[in-house]
Amino acid sequence: MRYVVGYTENDRGQDALELATSLALTQSAGIDLVTVLDWPQDGSAAPGTARAAEALERAAASVPSAVKVTTHVRLADSFAAGLLEAAAELDAGLIVIGASSNGLLRRFTVGSVANAVLHSSPLPVALSPRGYRHRDRFTRMSCAVGARAGAEAVLDVAVESAARRSLPLRLISLVALDQREAENSGEAINQAHRHANSVLVRAVEQLPQGHDASIMVAHGRTIEQAIDDIEWDAGELVIVGSSRLAQHSQLFLGSTANKMLRALPVPMVVVPRDWNLAAA
């Protein structure tokens, strides 16, 4: 397994590197650190190539020796395009990027690069919150479960991934309660519990016997409030599915995932529709 990491020598690049290191340590995977420079308009050598290569070598040297790191300076029309091209050529299983640099500490704001990758990647994309500094194996995997089409696919990916990495699996159902319909809030919560329990039964059937699995139903006036009421491990990773509006085998961040992204204090992996479980 190889992970392509979009790297720049700033806080956002460091966030991505920290997340990729944690992922690689958990999965025994290799890291491909990629910096993308713009194509020179006059056909000359790209300015800053040597400086970018030196920055990549410094970053690679900071990664634990247990993780194999390869560095790449790419030329492309955009950073996102260069990352996607590198991921395809290197047969990567995941793209890792940092949050936009103007987000609040430990929170996400999706910048232009992340947005472009999320709308076009055929691979899962791991997003690191700003200020992420957990450089160790993950301790728990969570999966956001819903009732919409495609929810079963992301559950299958989460189950397979948790089993392969021997990580406890927590299923999370988020309920936003409309205060204008307060009389129906109790039924909405009960329905969420029933659905989450049915999903848990399915997950347990797929997991190895005795594998730790649990559910959490969280609610609030908004998705963001529901997330704030959940306790998160420092070594937690959340898996979500892409929007049902996404094209076949591509990503598209839906409205619920976007709301989750604004509030999560831990990394998120967005999985394309119909993603091949063999590469999970």
Side-chain angles (χ1 to χ4, degrees):
M1 180 72 73
R2 303 175 72 172
Y3 300 145
V4 161
V5 184
Y7 184 79
T8 49
E9 198 174 25
N10 54 25
D11 289 341
R12 181 170 51 199
Q14 189 62 38
D15 294 339
L17 180 59
E18 296 286 336
L19 173 55
T21 301
S22 296
L23 287 163
L25 288 170
T26 304
Q27 177 67 20
S28 298
I31 290 175
D32 287 286
L33 274 181
V34 179
T35 287
V36 182
L37 302 178
D38 292 334
W39 283 105
Q41 296 298 317
D42 58 4
S44 62
T49 300
R51 187 168 61 251
E54 291 169 1
L56 286 172
E57 290 302 325
R58 286 192 294 270
S62 72
V63 176
S65 58
V67 179
K68 181 180 179 180
V69 182
T70 307
T71 62
H72 311 264
V73 177
R74 309 275 303 195
L75 300 180
D77 293 332
S78 70
F79 201 103
L83 273 185
L84 293 170
E85 291 167 4
E89 291 179 17
L90 296 168
D91 195 24
L94 183 73
I95 295 174
V96 185
I97 48 182
S100 177
S101 58
N102 62 352
L104 297 174
L105 184 63
R106 302 301 301 278
R107 289 295 188 267
F108 292 88
T109 53
V110 178
S112 58
V113 172
N115 188 60
V117 172
L118 285 168
H119 280 74
S120 55
S121 176
L123 303 175
V125 174
L127 297 158
S128 173
R130 187 183 180 200
Y132 187 73
R133 293 297 179 268
H134 175 83
R135 182 174 283 201
D136 202 349
R137 289 177 172 83
F138 286 103
T139 56
R140 181 168 64 189
M141 183 170 290
S142 288
C143 176
V145 299
R148 290 181 174 177
E152 297 84 0
V154 72
L155 174 65
D156 291 341
V157 171
V159 167
E160 174 70 16
S161 299
R164 183 180 299 178
R165 296 162 176 82
S166 299
L167 291 176
L169 176 62
R170 179 170 66 162
L171 307 179
I172 297 175
S173 178
L174 302 170
V175 184
L177 302 174
D178 191 334
Q179 296 304 298
R180 294 169 299 179
E181 301 178 3
E183 66 277 6
N184 297 323
S185 61
E187 176 54 30
I189 295 171
N190 288 335
Q191 184 177 354
H193 275 281
R194 289 193 297 269
H195 175 70
N197 276 289
S198 68
V199 174
L200 178 62
V201 169
R202 175 181 171 181
V204 169
E205 290 174 348
Q206 296 176 250
L207 287 166
Q209 187 172 4
H211 194 103
D212 187 357
S214 61
I215 60 168
M216 161 68 70
V217 176
H219 55 84
R221 288 191 300 173
T222 63
I223 293 295
E224 292 89 341
Q225 283 188 358
I227 288 175
D228 284 341
D229 284 339
I230 298 175
E231 292 186 3
W232 302 96
D233 286 351
E236 189 143 10
L237 183 68
V238 178
I239 294 182
V240 302
S242 60
S243 169
R244 66 190 187 281
L245 300 177
Q247 297 180 23
H248 178 73
S249 297
Q250 285 194 343
L251 293 178
F252 186 95
L253 206 60
S255 59
T256 299
N258 259 313
K259 293 172 184 176
M260 290 181 65
L261 198 59
R262 289 198 293 266
L264 275 175
V266 296
M268 170 191 280
V269 175
V270 186
V271 179
R273 289 181 56 191
D274 308 318
W275 175 242
N276 181 7
L277 275 175

